Amino acid sequence: MTRGFATKTWLWLGLWSTLAAASGLPETPAPQASLISPWTQAASMSRYRYSHTATLLPSGKVLVTGGASSGGVTATTETYDPATNTWAPSTNLGVARSGHTATRLPSGRVLVVGGSTSTTVHASAELYNATTNTFTATGAMVTARRNHKAVLLLSGQVLVVGGFGTTAYNSALRSAELYNPSTGRWTATGSLSTAAGTVTATLLEDGRVLAINDDGVVAAAEVYTPSTGTWTRVSDPPAFSGHAAVRLDSGLVLATGQEQYWYDSGAWLYFPEDDYWEYVSYANEARRRGHSLTLLPSGQVLVARGTRNQIGGSAELFDPDSWSLYVVGSDAATTGHTATLLPSGGVLVVGGTSQEEPEWYSSAEIFTEP
């Protein structure tokens, strides 16, 4: 899907300049969509996966762990090598996990936390050592949880927040806890006051963490201060449902996703210093939810995948200079995928599931910025 103005660039530029002068918008319009597809097919994984994790290793390879498919939840893992476009099996997790998190620590090891099977929610955690290709158990969380978020803090500790305590979605958690890599232990820290269950968690420039609620009903955001171990309610965003969030190079936080009571899924910016939200752009894909946001080396943000209709749609880029979204080629309607920025600047998008039937995917693609 492309915007109509792409065929009359001179008219668009003239109209934009006129509108910009009248409204104070940036005088340079958003870049135009490329006619060349930015996607290239990569080798497929050994199995279907969704709700898995993908983590860039120090070597430049990508470790994929766990996930689910028609065969249930798996403990298998595999590694993608961008240099050879090949996948290789890695050692199995200690337990099968889906809806877990994987965080690369400053040491280069990967902390895999929580998740669930169809009947059990895990409190356990394990560490992956790429040098020895081994997983070893580490301290268990205070609270078993799945579909939570994990953030590496500036201190090197890992903050885990939200998620669900059982396999039911009426078990939304407000609690949070910290993992200390030096001791391998978890300690409880302050709990969210309003946000719960499904949240996004974004590290701010000053070391605090912004958590945004995502139940489609309650509009709430809270900020965690590591020095005090407390959460503070901040200015309310929209009541997002299936949104994603990422910090821009400017320090602002971009959030995109479906909003309560209507199908719009435009772009919002959060200004941490002013505690202020601003709607900055409509989206070309309405109803986009369950998508991923990846900050590119250029400072632009790739908006990929997400469920919005059965036949797919378009990928978009958010331009931080014009504060706008523009189309950059077709895209698949999947969720539960992963998007990993490679050392080359490309983005590896792997697996996922469609919103109907359902279907599961083992395929992988690489996005290259136009």
Side-chain angles (χ1 to χ4, degrees):
M1 188 172 91
T2 57
R3 295 188 187 182
F5 58 67
T7 59
K8 293 188 180 292
T9 304
W10 63 269
L11 177 60
W12 163 241
L13 290 171
L15 288 172
W16 181 271
S17 297
T18 301
L19 290 171
S23 63
L25 292 170
E27 293 188 6
T28 302
Q32 305 299 299
S34 172
L35 297 178
I36 301 174
S37 174
W39 297 99
T40 56
Q41 198 70 38
S44 295
M45 293 183 292
S46 65
R47 62 183 297 132
Y48 306 129
R49 297 180 195 267
Y50 70 94
S51 295
H52 53 281
T53 64
T55 311
L56 182 68
L57 300 175
S59 64
K61 297 179 180 181
V62 178
L63 173 71
V64 168
T65 70
S69 68
S70 57
V73 179
T74 182
T76 63
T77 74
E78 48 194 303
T79 303
Y80 177 75
D81 187 345
T84 59
N85 185 31
T86 56
W87 292 88
S90 294
T91 188
N92 283 0
L93 294 161
V95 295
R97 303 176 189 269
S98 175
H100 52 294
T101 56
T103 306
R104 193 176 102 184
L105 303 176
S107 65
R109 295 179 299 171
V110 179
L111 175 68
V112 178
V113 178
S116 67
T117 62
S118 59
T119 58
T120 304
V121 178
H122 300 303
S124 64
E126 43 194 310
L127 290 168
Y128 177 73
N129 186 325
T131 302
T132 58
N133 187 31
T134 56
F135 283 95
T136 56
T138 187
M141 290 187 292
V142 176
T143 303
R145 63 185 80 220
R146 62 178 177 84
N147 299 108
H148 51 281
K149 292 296 183 293
V151 178
L152 179 66
L153 302 179
L154 298 183
S155 65
Q157 296 189 92
V158 178
L159 173 72
V160 164
V161 58
F164 299 86
T166 70
T167 56
Y169 276 90
N170 59 1
S171 61
L173 298 173
R174 291 192 172 91
S175 62
E177 47 193 296
L178 292 169
Y179 176 77
N180 188 332
S182 299
T183 63
R185 295 181 179 177
W186 294 86
T187 56
T189 189
S191 296
L192 296 161
S193 64
T194 305
T198 304
V199 299
T200 56
T202 307
L203 183 69
L204 302 178
E205 277 190 321
D206 60 8
R208 296 179 301 158
V209 177
L210 173 70
I212 305 172
N213 200 44
D214 192 72
D215 63 3
V217 179
V218 178
E222 303 182 43
V223 167
Y224 177 77
T225 303
S227 60
T228 62
T230 58
W231 293 89
T232 304
R233 184 79 178 265
V234 294
S235 179
D236 290 342
F240 284 120
S241 176
H243 82 284
V246 67
R247 191 183 83 203
L248 304 179
D249 289 337
S250 64
L252 306 184
V253 176
L254 170 69
T256 66
Q258 187 172 318
E259 300 161 22
Q260 183 183 25
Y261 297 135
W262 56 81
Y263 291 142
D264 290 349
S265 54
W268 290 79
L269 288 178
Y270 178 69
F271 297 74
E273 292 185 1
D274 302 314
D275 185 22
Y276 170 70
W277 288 92
E278 182 175 345
Y279 178 84
V280 294
S281 177
Y282 74 90
N284 298 278
E285 286 291 344
R287 299 183 64 183
R288 193 193 293 267
R289 60 195 309 272
H291 51 287
S292 56
L293 296 183
T294 307
L295 181 65
L296 303 174
S298 67
Q300 296 193 104
V301 176
L302 172 65
V303 186
R305 303 296 196 256
T307 59
R308 61 270 190 199
N309 56 53
Q310 288 76 26
I311 60 173
S314 59
E316 300 178 78
L317 284 178
F318 177 80
D319 179 56
D321 295 325
S322 62
W323 287 2
S324 60
L325 290 159
Y326 66 100
V327 173
V328 284
S330 61
D331 202 5
T334 66
T335 188
H337 62 280
T338 54
T340 308
L341 182 66
L342 302 174
S344 65
V347 179
L348 177 70
V349 178
V350 177
T353 180
S354 63
Q355 72 182 92
E356 68 168 17
E357 292 190 12
E359 293 180 341
W360 303 275
Y361 299 94
S362 62
S363 57
E365 290 185 279
I366 295 178
F367 176 88
T368 302
E369 192 171 5

